[in-house]
Structure formats: structure tokens, C-alpha cells
Amino acid sequence: MLGYTNEKQGSAFWQDLLANRIETAEELEGRLGLKIPRLREIIRKYPMRISPHYLSLIKEKNDPIYKQCVPDPAELENDRGLVDPLAEERFSPLPGLTRRYPDRVLFLVSDQCATYCRFCNRKRKVGRRGTVTKETIQEGLRYIKAHKEVRDVLLSGGDPLLLETPQLETILRYLRDIPHVQIIRIGTRVPCVLPQRVTPSLVSMLKKYHPLYINTHFNHPKEITPESAKACSMLADAGIPLGCQTVLLRGVNDSVKTIKQLMEGLVRIRARPYYLFQADQARGTAHFWTPLDTGLEIISALQGNVSGLCIPHFCVDLPGGGGKVLLTPESIQERQKDALIIKNFEGELYEYPIYS
Ligand SMILES: *Cc1c(COP(=O)(O)O)cnc(C)c1O
Ligand code: SF4
């Protein structure tokens, strides 16, 4: 039923762009004109991919775009954190489907992204062939059909918009035919890293499956380009409400000034800030972690200074599968020397270690 491949087909413009992505050490060092220590070793462990569009946004070594996509030896050297920080596997009734809440599921429909973010919390999975297959997709769809309590399906990955339009449509059509599925959501970084993928034919397909929401992912004001603005406005014009999930990243966007500019820019391109995430404690990403207080300070600095439209929820996904919790001063029950005790949505207490 569902063909699965993101590769090598068609000659549409976005596919040509995707075909020109950077994936090898030689290509990257050639394009950047510099040597990166242990690059080949890092890529063997955690795949690299950079779309031509995203690469073109790098202006100098270690700028905010560079840090998000160019492998760093710290990925190998700092082994703090967990391979599966959110215990997604523990809450997976099937491979590729996570059910942490009664009414909604996270459903992985692609294992490819247009650019692999070095801070990704699914670093263990993305870019590895065969984590998502047509069998896992079919079984996921059957599960959703058989579970009437699931009213909200969040398609994720990898990036669902890297599927071919007809493949994605097959999934959407199947979901839309299930009476208890009220809302379909797509989580995608395409508007940021491969905005050319948002084509008129994609958009006219998507708008047949309302109510459909898209949450995109921008982390820095420099990512808001004319191409991204165009992609977002095409989606918004098709009646798709756009949200944005941003990850707070050390050395990339961990300041009030940068987050404020980003949030204002997002509202301008019609993507409503939704979550500002504390970076998950995934192994190989410790160099991106910020102290929890940084996020709290940024949110309180935004309050009163920008419109409420520009203020996302500061949110932490509790390690070990506690689920998402909005961090406000009230959710912090106790402060210990090296940890905060945080109450989750079920009233249970979790310990969140502070690395600062
Ligand atoms: C983030 C997430 C969701 C969706 O959460 P919302 O707060 O509704 O956006 C659903 N399931 C899982 C497993 C998640 O991680
Ligand atoms: S686009 Fe999302 S899933 Fe893909 S690498 Fe980036 S953070 Fe991970």
C-alpha cells in the first residue's frame, strides 16, 4: 500500500535540491574550506546531512547555523545524557508509534530529514535506514484505527514532508477516514531547512485533509529567509494553522535578544510560537544544554516586553518518560543543589538534573 522511499525519484525542483545535499566529510570540508577534527568518525556514529539552502545560511565558522548542522567532536567526547532520553521506546506499543497520553499519539512516518540537527533528541534513529518502513507505517495506521480514544495524531519522524506527496497523501487519507481521529498534526523542519519542498501541489494536497495543523521548527532569526517566509505563507494561505517549536541551544539562541528577535520574526511569517523546549538530555548533545534557569529567565524577560502572541510555552520533556511539562515558577516544587524537583501533568514528582 504505502511505498516508502525519499530518494532518487522525480525531477521536481525540491528533489534536485535534496539530491545536492551534503553528506560526506569530503563534501563538507570542501564546501566550508576547513578541516573538522574526527569528522568521519562522528558521521559514522551520527549521520550528517545539510541541505544546500541551510548550508547557504552559514556565514562563518561557529555561527548559529553552523553549530546546528556541522558535526562537532564534542558529540563523541561528552557522553552525558541518554540514548533514548524520553523513554519513547517504553511508551511505544509498536515501533514508530509513541503513546504517552491517552488521546494522542506520536507517529513516525519518515526516518529522513532534509538536514540532521546535531542536537536532535532522536539522534539514535534519524538518518538510519529502516527505522521506519512501510510495515511500521501500516501497523501504526491499524493501531490508530483500532483505538477510539486517539483523537489527535501527530506525524513526525524524521520529517514527514520528505515523503513524496502521494505517499504522504495515502497516510493522510487513511487517517481522515477514521471517524475518531479529529486532528492531524505534522511536525516538520522543512519550512526552515528545505522551504522549496513546500510546492503548490503539496499545499493543494494538504488542504484536503483539514483540520490539519503544522508545527514547524526554527531556532534562530537568521533562519527566517524570504524562501521560508514564502513556504509559511503558502501553508497559511491554505488554511493550515502554523506553530513553531524552538529548542533552546547553548551558543545558538540562549539569550533574550535572540529569542525575542526569533519570536517576533516567526509571528511575522505567520508561525505562532508554540513551545520553547529545554534541549533534551540526549547523548551526544551535551554541548548544547543550557541551565533550566536560562529558559525561565528568557520567558520572564519576554513577558510584558512583547505581545503574548510572541511568547511560547517553555517546556521540558521529562527524562525517563514523564512527558511534557510547562515550566513556570509554580511547577518547580523544590530546588536542590544540583537538581530541580518538578511536578508533571499527573502530579508526580520528577528530578531534573542541572548541568551548568
Ligand atoms: C510532544 C508529544 C505529543 C504532543 O504533545 P502536545 O503537547 O499535545 O503538543 C504527543 N505524544 C508524544 C509522545 C509527544 O512527545
Ligand atoms: S528536523 Fe527534527 S527530527 Fe530531523 S534531525 Fe532535526 S530535530 Fe531531529
Side-chain angles (χ1 to χ4, degrees):
M1 172 178 78
L2 299 161
Y4 170 75
T5 163
N6 300 320
E7 311 283 306
K8 71 176 176 343
Q9 329 154 10
S11 54
F13 181 51
W14 72 271
Q15 286 154 325
D16 289 344
L17 286 176
L18 187 59
N20 288 326
R21 66 209 178 195
I22 310 297
E23 284 187 342
T24 68
E26 292 69 32
E27 286 164 345
L28 182 68
E29 291 185 332
R31 294 289 289 272
L32 293 177
L34 45 85
K35 288 270 173 236
I36 297 158
R38 304 179 74 184
L39 181 57
R40 284 155 190 82
E41 212 184 320
I42 309 168
I43 296 178
R44 265 199 305 280
K45 185 149 188 204
Y46 302 118
M48 172 182 74
R49 178 181 287 178
I50 309 175
S51 66
H53 173 78
Y54 206 62
L55 188 81
S56 76
L57 304 182
I58 296 179
K59 298 302 172 221
E60 58 189 1
K61 187 176 176 197
N62 287 328
D63 74 14
I65 309 294
Y66 178 107
K67 284 188 178 166
Q68 290 185 68
C69 64
V70 175
D72 186 317
E75 295 174 38
L76 301 176
E77 287 155 13
N78 189 335
D79 66 358
R80 286 190 303 178
L82 302 166
V83 175
D84 175 12
L86 308 181
E88 287 184 337
E89 312 291 350
R90 180 146 71 84
F91 291 98
S92 294
L94 302 167
L97 188 134
T98 304
R99 182 152 178 219
R100 184 60 190 89
Y101 310 98
D103 67 328
R104 51 209 197 274
V105 294
L106 179 76
F107 183 21
L108 309 189
V109 296
S110 164
D111 52 18
Q112 307 284 302
C113 302
T115 291
Y116 294 127
C117 311
R118 306 318 298 176
F119 53 84
C120 180
N121 62 7
R122 292 199 201 105
K123 226 173 154 80
R124 70 189 186 283
K125 281 196 164 169
V126 295
R128 304 213 178 275
R129 313 244 97 212
T131 355
V132 176
T133 63
K134 75 178 184 238
E135 287 74 30
T136 64
I137 295 177
Q138 276 175 11
E139 284 177 22
L141 291 173
R142 264 187 235 120
Y143 177 95
I144 293 164
K145 191 170 186 177
H147 288 79
K148 292 206 162 45
E149 326 77 65
V150 176
R151 51 171 289 282
D152 178 351
V153 176
L154 173 48
L155 302 179
S156 181
D159 198 315
L161 294 190
L162 281 209
L163 295 174
E164 297 292 322
T165 304
Q167 292 175 290
L168 181 59
E169 178 159 24
T170 309
I171 297 170
L172 293 175
R173 193 187 303 117
Y174 187 99
L175 289 172
R176 204 22 96 218
D177 284 343
I178 302 174
H180 58 266
V181 173
Q182 296 171 11
I183 290 168
I184 303 173
R185 293 194 266 174
I186 296 177
T188 174
R189 215 180 173 194
V190 150
C192 174
V193 293
L194 190 66
Q196 299 82 358
R197 165 60 181 118
V198 180
T199 56
S201 70
L202 175 71
V203 168
S204 54
M205 183 280 279
L206 292 174
K207 71 195 246 196
K208 293 191 273 175
Y209 299 95
H210 280 310
L212 177 75
Y213 287 72
I214 288 186
N215 261 335
T216 182
H217 175 173
F218 287 79
N219 293 330
H220 195 277
K222 291 201 163 85
E223 293 170 347
I224 299 179
T225 60
E227 293 85 354
S228 292
K230 176 86 192 322
C232 289
S233 90
M234 286 168 70
L235 294 166
D237 283 348
I240 302 169
L242 299 178
C244 180
Q245 309 197 148
T246 294
V247 184
L248 195 55
L249 301 166
R250 181 194 292 266
V252 172
N253 61 9
D254 57 339
S255 74
V256 175
K257 181 165 170 269
T258 304
I259 293 291
K260 180 169 181 286
Q261 270 179 19
L262 173 63
M263 299 303 150
E264 290 170 345
L266 287 169
V267 171
R268 241 178 7 249
I269 64 169
R270 303 161 75 188
R272 167 81 154 92
Y274 179 52
Y275 284 143
L276 175 66
F277 278 116
Q278 173 71 10
D280 289 322
Q281 296 179 347
R283 184 160 305 156
T285 68
H287 53 297
F288 286 112
W289 302 347
T290 54
L292 280 174
D293 282 319
T294 305
L296 290 168
E297 283 159 16
I298 289 174
I299 295 297
S300 49
L302 290 181
Q303 280 164 352
N305 277 309
V306 294
S307 134
L309 262 187
C310 300
I311 305 181
H313 295 300
F314 180 47
C315 184
V316 47
D317 229 325
L318 295 172
K324 293 187 182 67
V325 175
L326 304 189
L327 280 204
T328 58
E330 305 86 86
S331 59
I332 298 170
Q333 299 290 295
E334 193 190 325
R335 284 175 178 270
Q336 297 177 344
K337 188 169 151 294
D338 51 7
L340 297 186
I341 307 299
I342 298 169
K343 188 164 73 182
N344 81 347
F345 72 109
E346 294 160 324
E348 293 164 349
L349 298 183
Y350 283 80
E351 184 174 312
Y352 200 96
I354 298 170
Y355 296 109
S356 45

